[in-house]
Amino acid sequence: MERMALENKIRELRRILHENPEPSGREEGTKALLMRFIKRNTLLEVEDFDGGFYALQKTKKEEQPGIVFRAACCAVRTAEDRAEHRFGNDGHAAALCALGLLAGRETFGRDVYYLFETGSDSGRGGRACAQALKGKNISEIYAVRNIPGLERGRIALRQGSFCCGKRNLVVRFSGSPADLAYPETGKNPAEALGFLLEGLPGLCATGQHAFVNQYSVAGVKAGKPGLRAAADTAEVWISLRSERTADLERIAGKISERAGGLGLRFGLTVRCDTETDFPAVENTVELMPRLQKLGAYSLLKTPMRWDDDFGWLLKNFRGAMLGIGAGTETPALGTADYQYPDALLLPTAELCKRLIGQTL
């Protein structure tokens, strides 16, 4: 297939994906479209599973372990509760299809997996993908994200965490009700909630370390409106982000311990639930020299603060996330004006194809 014809086909695929966004965990149409595209345009074997699918390019003579390229497929839910492609997953999936068309016609001395993930916003997709690849002879796994603000086509690398891990916590205090005139007859959790909120900066402090650790309070609720009774329940939604998974676990543990201590102090029942859990995307350091040979690159000084559940795959395999510049004038990720640049589709596929050809 000539380059122009291939580019037109992939651009049309991305357009269809962009105009038919589906939220995480509900990408039935997106998944069906991508599977149909792969089957119609390649000879790759397709393996379906709950959490995504992969297309496999099986080698006739295995000279080295397999390689995996992964793309998430979901759109993001906006504040208006609509699904929209504001982070470029439509482009990531289309670029992975382009890689299948480019590399699928060649012979490599290794298996190549084209992994399409659904349900990435919850992290269930990443864990399902890791399970689907379990036991395979795979040496490395990669994901490529588009990076607005960076010169178009320039590679973005980072030794260490490419993007932060995330853990969303819900802390709930339960006491007992009381008449507003006799508050001493009940157990009001509002004060405990206040102490927890007041202590969050200290619990999440970085100390002497230069690593990224931050928290955001997404919502707070105590009692009910109407001035009919003193509050007997209170809860807070906290989102944690850390450059290192170990710090994420440490901070979440300190918050849970602090909440438990306040529960004992005020005679309250306490629950601390994890709503979402993404490990940090911590790149395999040994792969950096190979990535630096791919082309002109920039080293990121700090990790991206957006999250990606690709970290679940890096718990099982060596690998890395890398970026490709979307242009210095491109709107920021997550904004209503952002759209994945079609001009990145084939360069991203060609970048990945160079990785396949590298020897270990």
Side-chain angles (χ1 to χ4, degrees):
M1 186 182 299
E2 295 183 358
R3 182 183 176 87
M4 184 173 293
L6 171 58
E7 187 167 23
N8 289 338
K9 183 182 285 289
I10 294 300
R11 286 186 178 217
E12 176 64 11
L13 173 63
R14 193 201 70 82
R15 182 191 66 78
I16 296 171
L17 291 170
H18 189 80
E19 294 178 357
N20 296 275
E22 295 178 308
S24 180
R26 295 171 54 190
E27 307 100 315
E28 293 88 356
T30 300
K31 181 177 177 179
L33 171 65
L34 291 168
M35 291 178 69
R36 187 165 58 248
F37 183 92
I38 292 290
K39 290 177 180 179
R40 287 179 177 176
N41 293 282
T42 76
L43 298 176
L44 302 176
E45 303 173 18
V46 175
E47 183 70 29
D48 188 9
F49 59 90
D50 186 16
F53 74 96
Y54 63 76
L56 173 60
Q57 184 174 344
K58 191 74 176 173
T59 184
K60 294 181 180 178
K61 183 180 179 182
E62 189 174 60
E63 299 172 354
Q64 56 182 321
I67 186 171
V68 182
F69 297 93
R70 167 270 195 182
C73 306
C74 67
V76 66
R77 280 198 178 278
T78 68
E80 297 79 21
D81 202 31
R82 294 195 304 268
E84 293 183 4
H85 279 293
R86 293 187 177 185
F87 285 86
N89 282 346
D90 53 335
H92 301 150
L96 187 54
C97 287
L99 176 62
L101 269 64
L102 278 176
R105 296 174 294 176
E106 299 190 19
T107 300
F108 302 95
R110 65 198 311 191
D111 292 341
V112 183
Y113 293 80
Y114 307 87
L115 177 64
F116 297 84
E117 179 192 342
T118 58
S120 62
D121 268 8
S122 66
R124 288 191 290 272
R127 283 176 283 207
C129 286
Q131 183 63 33
L133 296 177
K134 189 175 181 180
K136 310 291 187 186
N137 185 24
I138 293 168
S139 63
E140 58 208 288
I141 182 166
Y142 296 99
V144 182
R145 293 285 303 258
N146 61 114
I147 310 294
L150 182 66
E151 176 188 345
R152 182 165 293 176
R154 190 172 183 85
I155 300 168
L157 303 176
R158 191 160 195 276
Q159 185 165 307
S161 296
F162 192 89
C163 62
C164 290
K166 175 181 72 174
R167 185 168 296 185
N168 290 340
L169 303 176
V170 182
V171 181
R172 296 181 174 90
F173 295 102
S174 298
S176 56
D179 187 89
L180 292 172
Y182 300 96
E184 70 279 5
T185 63
K187 293 179 180 178
N188 191 327
E191 191 172 0
L193 176 63
F195 278 118
L196 180 63
L197 292 171
E198 183 182 39
L200 282 178
L203 295 172
C204 301
T206 58
Q208 299 299 316
H209 303 294
F211 300 113
V212 173
N213 287 312
Q214 69 172 50
Y215 73 93
S216 297
V217 175
V220 175
K221 180 181 178 182
K224 299 177 182 178
L227 293 171
R228 292 189 178 89
D232 63 337
T233 60
E235 54 190 74
V236 57
W237 299 271
I238 306 168
S239 185
L240 305 174
R241 291 177 192 270
S242 292
E243 180 175 346
R244 303 187 304 177
T245 303
D247 285 340
L248 200 63
E249 294 173 348
R250 175 181 57 82
I251 294 169
K254 289 170 66 176
I255 291 174
S256 180
E257 183 179 356
R258 174 62 170 161
L262 289 167
L264 290 173
R265 176 179 171 183
F266 291 98
L268 306 169
T269 300
V270 181
R271 282 187 56 183
C272 190
D273 296 321
T274 298
E275 294 286 304
T276 313
D277 187 16
F278 289 5
V281 176
E282 300 181 61
N283 290 343
T284 303
V285 175
E286 291 77 16
L287 296 175
M288 185 61 63
R290 294 173 53 199
L291 298 177
Q292 291 172 333
K293 296 177 182 178
L294 292 172
Y297 66 88
S298 296
L299 287 175
L300 301 178
K301 294 181 180 179
T302 58
M304 297 295 178
R305 284 193 282 172
W306 40 255
D307 51 82
D308 192 304
D309 73 340
F310 186 63
W312 286 113
L313 287 154
L314 294 183
K315 281 183 169 290
N316 292 7
F317 303 99
R318 296 193 326 154
M321 177 174 283
L322 54 155
I324 184 167
T328 56
E329 304 301 321
T330 308
L333 288 174
T335 61
D337 293 331
Y338 182 77
Q339 188 165 161
Y340 184 100
D342 282 335
L344 283 186
L345 291 168
L346 285 191
T348 299
E350 291 164 343
L351 169 67
C352 295
K353 186 169 175 285
R354 292 199 293 275
L355 271 171
I356 302 174
Q358 288 184 346
T359 56
L360 299 179

